[in-house]
């Protein structure tokens, strides 16, 4: 919950805007500023104070405890010009909150955390449990000193400007080792503990067995991602309580699925009890991986038979592939989600000219794999291969990556061994449509006239179908030096079904500094004025030129009536 505190009418107005936007995330404190800050500090995970920073510092000073537990605090000035991350920038999430508040209120977020200021990810913000000299290693990164990355377990990380060797080290490991003096340990969620238990097994027995097994294997409990068992034990109190005390989810599998998992130590007892010859080992290996510790049984102090078993496996690292649409070219049409994915990636794959557009957004240490035109399949294979090695990869394309771009070849290459995230972007058709007016106001279709990957006979059949269906058509890749006949043929097909006066919009380099556009007609368009950087939109029989704008009516009934405006409910 986010506590909201203000002391003046101006602050209250901004506070109320935030409360209205985030009704489920915020709580307004109406008491005096001092009492409100004290109450919110004790009750909320974050605070937004519409007060001077000096006043908030004085109020917070006697309340401060530890950076790992104190809430994040953001201050917004009386004029609503700045949202200042004051306390708990990383641990309390104040840096991100300042950006969110700034975006909502139109204020400039002010973040002074050193790593954020220079574009480096904080070692304590990567989403992993961590141990060791975070401040010292972060300072070394900031100062440009050599810091080595030792990844004992492959796991997707954001870019870090590391070196093969250095006096400081970031080590990604699930082993139970202590950090060195100049070392940070990052604990990836790489371990799966399979558990089995007799009915009524005590939670202490299950938990004690798990902890002892991890000690025996030399593995860190902080890298345990989940406890896993058979469906029949999904509500076994001892197993459920052990997962809760470890702070990890309990994952269950049908007995038939576990019975198909090869294990070194099958047994007849679980087969008779729950229908699978292995519970602990099979559950640990259900998603693949390496068995680090075979099945172990608990030992009871009273000498009675064991009631719990467990086994530990290291699950395969799942790399991450984000397929990112950059939009048509203008920086303000690059979505915040796309920007976040670019900064999350440690490897960027893309066409060289697209890489140049966003190179300044990449974090220091990002590995860039760029290539020229015509290498789409190679880029897709490269991106998927890097993700399979456990990296966080961003594969970029212009517009929307799923529209005549990199998503389809990448997903055709990928399988279910990596995580794939699609990040939508503003397409060329949409950017051109916004410039022209509203040509896509009714049904519309996009057709690429490039026959490099699609036979012309197929393209021609699609153009003819759109012409006969009276659908607005946007042509991508309309004409190049080596392909100068396809656009005239496509226009001729449309002309067989539409009046020569049908509006046609021509937009070149939509949203870029050299953008140009014009509105012409089907009968007057000269194909020689069109190139590969152009999008051509041909209207249907209802499309009109209204005040110099290309408009395809939606067909609302009120527009056909004698009313001077829309009915009451449509305004």
């Amino acid at each position: 919950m986010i506590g909201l505190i203000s002391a003046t009418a101006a602050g209250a107005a901004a506070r109320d805007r935030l409360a209205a936007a985030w009704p489920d995330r915020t709580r307004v404190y109406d008491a005096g500023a001092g009492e409100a800050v004290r109450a919110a500090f004790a009750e909320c995970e974050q605070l937004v104070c519409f007060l001077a920073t000096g006043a908030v510092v004085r109020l917070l000073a006697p309340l401060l405890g530890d950076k790992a537990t104190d809430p994040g605090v953001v201050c917004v000035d009386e004029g609503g010009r700045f949202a200042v991350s004051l306390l708990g920038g990383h641990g309390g999430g104040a840096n991100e909150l300042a950006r969110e508040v700034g975006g909502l209120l139109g204020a400039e977020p002010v973040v002074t955390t050193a790593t954020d200021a220079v574009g480096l990810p904080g070692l304590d913000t990567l989403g992993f449990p961590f141990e060791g000299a975070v401040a010292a290693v972060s300072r070394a990164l900031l100062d440009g000193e050599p810091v080595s990355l030792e990844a004992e377990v492959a796991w997707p990380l954001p870019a870090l400007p590391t070196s093969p060797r250095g006096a400081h080290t970031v080590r990604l490991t699930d082993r139970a080792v202590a950090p060195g003096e100049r070392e940070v340990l990052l604990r990836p969620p790489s371990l799966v503990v399979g558990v089995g238990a007799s009915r009524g097994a005590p939670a202490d027995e299950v938990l004690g067995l798990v902890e002892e097994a991890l000690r025996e294997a030399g593995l860190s409990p902080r890298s345990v991602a989940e406890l896993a068992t058979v469906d029949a034990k999904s509500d076994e109190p001892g197993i459920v309580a052990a997962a809760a005390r470890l702070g990890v989810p309990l994952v269950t599998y049908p007995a038939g699925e576990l019975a198909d998992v090869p294990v070194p130590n099958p047994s007849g007892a679980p087969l008779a009890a729950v229908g699978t010859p292995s519970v602990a080992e099979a559950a640990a290996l259900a998603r693949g991986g390496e068995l680090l510790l075979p099945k172990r049984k608990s030992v009871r102090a009273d000498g009675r038979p064991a009631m719990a078993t467990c086994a530990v496996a290291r699950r395969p690292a799942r790399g991450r592939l984000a397929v990112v649409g950059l939009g048509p070219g203008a920086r303000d049409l690059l979505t915040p989600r796309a920007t976040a994915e670019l900064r999350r990636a440690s490897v960027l794959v893309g066409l060289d000219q697209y890489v140049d557009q966003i190179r300044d957004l990449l974090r220091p240490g990002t590995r860039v794999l760029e290539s020229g035109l015509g290498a789409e399949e190679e880029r897709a294979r490269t991106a998927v291969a890097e993700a399979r090695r456990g990296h966080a990869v961003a594969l970029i394309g212009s517009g929307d990556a799923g529209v005549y771009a990199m998503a389809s070849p990448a997903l055709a290459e990928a399988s279910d061994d990596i995580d794939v995230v699609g990040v939508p972007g503003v397409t060329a058709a949409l950017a051109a449509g916004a410039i022209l007016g509203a040509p896509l106001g009714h049904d519309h279709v996009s057709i690429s006239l490039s026959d490099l990957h699609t036979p012309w006979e197929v393209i021609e059949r699609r153009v003819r179908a759109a012409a006969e269906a009276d659908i607005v058509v946007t042509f991508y890749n309309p004409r190049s030096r080596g392909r100068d006949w396809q656009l005239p043929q496509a226009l001729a097909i449309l002309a067989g079904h539409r009046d020569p006066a049908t509006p046609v919009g021509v937009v070149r380099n939509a949203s870029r500094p050299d953008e140009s556009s014009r509105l012409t007609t089907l009968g007057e368009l000269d194909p020689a004025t069109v190139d590969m950087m152009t999008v051509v939109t041909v209207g249907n029989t209802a499309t009109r030129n209204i005040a110099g704008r290309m408009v395809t009516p939606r067909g609302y009934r009120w527009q056909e009536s004698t009313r001077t405006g829309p009915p009451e409910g449509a305004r």
Side-chain angles (χ1 to χ4, degrees):
M1 187 62 65
I2 304 171
L4 305 181
I5 298 118
S6 64
T8 66
R15 175 203 68 191
D16 292 344
R17 285 176 58 195
L18 212 59
W22 298 338
D24 298 327
R25 297 177 60 190
T26 57
R27 178 187 303 163
V28 173
Y29 286 80
D30 288 322
E35 182 182 344
V37 166
R38 286 190 293 273
F41 194 91
E43 298 168 357
C44 298
E45 292 81 22
Q46 295 174 317
L47 283 68
V48 179
C49 300
F50 298 86
L51 304 164
T53 54
V56 177
V57 167
R58 294 188 187 92
L59 293 172
L60 290 176
L63 307 176
L64 299 180
D66 182 86
K67 63 181 296 183
T69 57
D70 287 342
V73 180
V74 171
C75 286
V76 179
D77 64 288
E78 287 289 301
R81 297 170 301 167
F82 304 105
V84 182
S85 174
L86 185 68
L87 179 70
H90 284 168
N95 291 350
E96 183 56 34
L97 180 60
R99 296 184 183 101
E100 286 189 84
V101 171
L104 187 63
L105 299 181
E108 179 72 22
V110 178
V111 176
T112 58
T113 306
T115 49
D116 292 68
V118 299
L120 288 173
L123 296 175
D124 54 348
T125 67
L126 300 180
F128 301 109
F130 59 90
E131 303 164 35
V134 170
V137 176
S138 296
R139 185 175 298 110
L141 288 169
L142 290 167
D143 291 343
E145 297 179 19
V147 175
S148 63
L149 174 62
E150 297 180 3
E152 297 177 3
V153 180
W155 215 265
L157 287 172
L160 290 168
T162 54
S163 306
R165 293 182 180 180
H168 296 78
T169 304
V170 176
R171 193 195 307 187
L172 191 68
T173 181
D174 56 17
R175 295 188 301 115
V177 294
E181 183 180 352
R182 298 182 176 183
E183 185 175 56
V184 170
L185 303 182
L186 300 178
R187 301 297 191 181
S190 55
L191 304 179
V192 177
V193 179
V195 293
S198 304
R199 185 177 301 278
D204 287 343
E205 183 172 345
V206 177
L207 183 61
L209 173 62
V210 170
E211 292 174 340
E212 176 58 32
L214 292 171
R215 280 193 297 271
E216 180 181 341
L219 299 169
S220 171
R222 305 189 77 184
S223 279
V224 174
E226 60 194 40
L227 257 58
T229 191
V230 66
D231 279 349
K233 297 297 179 179
S234 62
D235 58 354
E236 183 63 44
I239 295 178
V240 173
R245 284 158 65 175
L246 284 169
V248 298
L250 176 63
V251 177
T252 66
Y253 298 95
E257 185 174 336
L258 294 184
D260 291 336
V261 178
V263 297
N265 300 294
S267 170
L271 179 61
V274 293
T276 172
S278 173
V279 173
E281 290 179 342
L285 292 169
R287 296 180 185 173
E290 173 190 6
L291 189 64
L292 302 179
L293 186 74
K295 179 177 67 175
R296 293 288 185 274
K297 293 183 178 181
S298 57
V299 177
R300 306 191 69 180
D302 58 9
R304 297 175 64 185
M307 299 187 72
T309 60
C310 83
V312 184
R314 179 179 289 130
R315 62 180 181 174
R318 290 185 64 84
R320 190 175 191 276
L321 174 61
V323 188
V324 181
L326 301 180
R331 179 56 62 86
D332 59 354
L333 292 182
L334 178 69
T335 68
R337 187 181 300 178
T339 300
E341 288 295 345
L342 294 176
R343 297 179 68 77
R344 178 171 181 165
S346 62
V347 180
L348 181 84
V349 181
L351 179 67
D352 46 15
Q353 64 190 58
Y354 297 152
V355 171
D356 289 340
Q357 291 179 22
I358 49 81
R359 199 182 295 272
D360 62 300
L361 297 177
L362 305 179
R363 291 192 186 276
T366 304
R367 185 156 52 95
V368 177
L369 305 176
E370 53 189 311
S371 52
L373 287 168
E376 288 82 6
E377 292 183 3
E378 177 189 341
R379 284 195 291 275
R381 286 194 294 268
T382 297
V384 171
E386 291 290 337
R388 284 182 175 143
R389 294 187 185 103
H391 298 304
V393 182
L395 174 63
I396 60 173
S398 67
D400 183 287
V403 179
Y404 302 122
M406 293 304 302
S408 53
L411 269 62
E413 185 73 22
S415 54
D416 62 359
D417 57 346
I418 61 173
D419 295 324
V420 178
V421 178
V423 182
V426 178
T427 69
L430 296 179
I435 293 165
L436 295 170
L440 309 182
H442 211 301
D443 297 336
H444 55 276
V445 63
S446 296
I447 299 177
S448 171
L449 295 183
S450 172
D451 58 357
L452 295 177
H453 301 287
T454 306
W456 174 252
E457 294 76 15
V458 175
I459 298 172
E460 183 177 4
R461 187 165 67 246
R462 292 170 180 174
V463 174
R464 197 173 301 281
E468 293 174 353
D470 195 28
I471 297 176
V472 174
V473 182
T474 297
F475 288 123
Y476 279 71
N477 307 313
R479 184 177 180 273
S480 67
R481 290 180 181 178
R483 297 186 302 98
D484 58 1
W485 54 269
Q486 288 93 338
L487 179 59
Q489 285 202 24
L491 294 174
I493 293 171
L494 292 174
H497 298 267
R498 301 180 192 181
D499 191 275
T502 299
V504 175
V506 181
V507 179
R508 187 177 190 278
N509 283 333
S511 87
R512 300 186 182 186
D514 56 347
E515 167 191 299
S516 63
S517 64
R518 67 185 189 278
L519 190 57
T520 181
T521 66
L522 186 58
E524 295 176 350
L525 175 62
D526 179 4
T529 62
V530 173
D531 63 12
M532 283 288 286
M533 306 303 295
T534 305
V535 173
V536 177
T537 302
V538 182
N540 65 10
T541 55
T543 305
R544 298 288 182 266
N545 181 336
I546 301 175
R549 302 181 184 91
M550 188 176 178
V551 180
T552 302
R554 181 74 185 277
Y556 292 113
R557 293 181 179 178
W558 54 262
Q559 289 183 321
E560 301 170 0
S561 70
T562 58
R563 295 176 181 268
T564 58
E568 234 15 77
R571 289 179 180 162

